Amino acid sequence: HVQLVESGGGSVQAGGSLKLSCAHSGYIFSRCGMGWFRQAPGKERELVSTISRDGTTTYADSVKGRFTISQDNAKNTLYLQMNNLKTEDTAVYYCAADMGWVPDRCYENPYWGQGTQVTVS
């Protein structure tokens, strides 16, 4: 049974930083790996960043150079360091985990955390 629990959200002024955490249990790191998604009011959920079993990372163009995804295997925790935050980063951020191995099908049906609100003003 996979459980994902996010924390670290909050309110911050533009230009500020936040670090999100996702404590996970029951998850076996796969090629698809884990990631962060976000959903702003009135918009669809979008992919922010992923990290795979071999440490390969991906980022949405909108966050490249500002956000960093990382994983602490000893603590079973996924992180998202967010710097130089912008108002358009305001959203609910979700941790996701996928135990799949087929790249084209990654995140079709992942496990989800409950989400954590990030508000940038």
Side-chain angles (χ1 to χ4, degrees), residues 70-115:
S70 62
Q71 163 70 17
D72 186 331
N73 292 322
K75 295 182 178 180
N76 285 343
T77 302
L78 180 74
Y79 300 101
L80 185 68
Q81 176 67 48
M82 306 185 294
N83 297 328
N84 190 21
L85 283 160
K86 304 177 180 180
T87 55
E88 51 263 43
D89 294 319
T90 295
V92 178
Y93 283 71
Y94 296 91
C95 176
D98 192 322
M99 287 201 265
W101 292 85
V102 180
D104 290 347
R105 301 195 67 179
C106 289
Y107 299 100
E108 283 187 350
N109 189 27
Y111 294 94
W112 293 103
Q114 82 285 357

Side-chain angles (χ1 to χ4, degrees), residues 10 45 110 121:
R45 191 173 297 188
S121 60

Side-chain angles (χ1 to χ4, degrees), residues 5-102:
V5 180
E6 300 102 331
S7 61
S11 297
V12 64
Q13 290 189 335
S17 299
L18 283 174
K19 187 174 185 177
L20 305 183
S21 299
C22 174
H24 57 88
S25 61
Y27 174 69
I28 300 173
F29 236 98
S30 68
R31 183 172 184 178
C32 290
M34 299 188 70
W36 291 94
F37 288 70
R38 67 185 181 187
Q39 187 167 20
K43 295 187 177 181
E44 293 187 354
R45 191 173 297 188
E46 64 174 356
L47 178 65
V48 175
S49 181
T50 64
I51 184 166
S52 65
R53 178 186 174 95
D54 65 1
T56 301
T57 58
T58 68
Y59 296 94
D61 287 343
S62 59
V63 306
K64 280 181 182 177
R66 300 188 298 122
F67 290 12
T68 303
I69 191 171
S70 62
Q71 163 70 17
D72 186 331
N73 292 322
K75 295 182 178 180
N76 285 343
T77 302
L78 180 74
Y79 300 101
L80 185 68
Q81 176 67 48
M82 306 185 294
N83 297 328
N84 190 21
L85 283 160
K86 304 177 180 180
T87 55
E88 51 263 43
D89 294 319
T90 295
V92 178
Y93 283 71
Y94 296 91
C95 176
D98 192 322
M99 287 201 265
W101 292 85
V102 180

